[in-house]
Amino acid sequence: MQRARSRPAFTLLEVILALVILSGSVATLGEIIRLANRASEDAAAETRAQILASSVMDQLLAAALPLEEAPATPLEEVGEEGWTYRIALLPCEVEELETVEVTVELRNDRDQIAASYRLVRMLPADPAAAAAAETSSTSLSGQDGGPNASSTR
């Protein structure tokens, strides 16, 4: 009786082991992609919060918003739901200045903070008076006694 010639082939155990390794690798890659996607969304939300906080602070500087404390107020110009801002006035050592804190938050469906950013600046206590003083000092600079004035005798 002649023996059948054996051909090199994979055994069932080797095939199962290869499939287990492959499925574990695919599951790990899927988790890495999910984590990267979440980190990307968090970074985009924080960047948006920074831009919105800067926008609110600019509105305070331009006197488009009153320089006073404000509770959590929805941001209407954003066009997205859930964004709010708060304004807090903090004590300052310099008499003519106020420390202004603007906090912007995004809350999710479960009322948890998804993104938040706090911007703190020292501003003139009365921005309108500071702007008027700056304008009047600029207009005086060309008159007698100003830094650009010249005298001929």
Side-chain angles (χ1 to χ4, degrees):
M1 182 181 234
Q2 192 173 14
R3 245 177 141 193
R5 196 169 180 186
S6 67
R7 294 183 296 173
F10 293 110
T11 65
L12 182 59
L13 181 62
E14 290 172 332
V15 171
I16 291 173
L17 184 61
L19 287 174
V20 167
I21 292 171
L22 178 66
S23 63
S25 299
V26 169
T28 302
L29 285 175
E31 185 66 19
I32 290 171
I33 290 171
R34 187 188 68 79
L35 290 173
N37 188 32
R38 182 171 180 176
S40 171
E41 290 172 356
D42 290 347
E46 186 166 335
T47 300
R48 185 75 176 146
Q50 290 173 359
I51 291 169
L52 293 171
S54 181
S55 174
V56 171
M57 188 66 76
D58 289 344
Q59 289 178 29
L60 290 170
L61 284 167
L65 286 175
L67 188 57
E68 58 189 29
E69 300 233 357
T73 308
L75 281 164
E76 297 167 359
E77 70 270 1
V78 175
E80 298 179 40
E81 295 295 317
W83 287 102
T84 60
Y85 72 92
R86 283 181 286 128
I87 300 172
L89 302 178
L90 306 172
C92 184
E93 295 175 7
V94 180
E95 203 172 294
E96 298 85 23
L97 298 177
E98 277 188 278
T99 303
V100 179
E101 176 184 277
V102 173
T103 305
V104 175
E105 295 177 340
L106 173 63
R107 295 201 173 258
N108 59 18
D109 297 338
R110 292 170 283 178
D111 202 33
Q112 297 172 333
I113 297 173
S116 177
Y117 187 74
R118 186 177 68 124
L119 181 62
V120 179
R121 286 196 184 155
M122 295 174 105
L123 299 179
D126 186 8
E134 186 176 312
T135 304
S136 66
S137 69
T138 305
S139 65
L140 291 176
S141 64
Q143 297 175 359
D144 290 334
N148 296 329
S150 61
S151 61
T152 55
R153 290 186 181 190

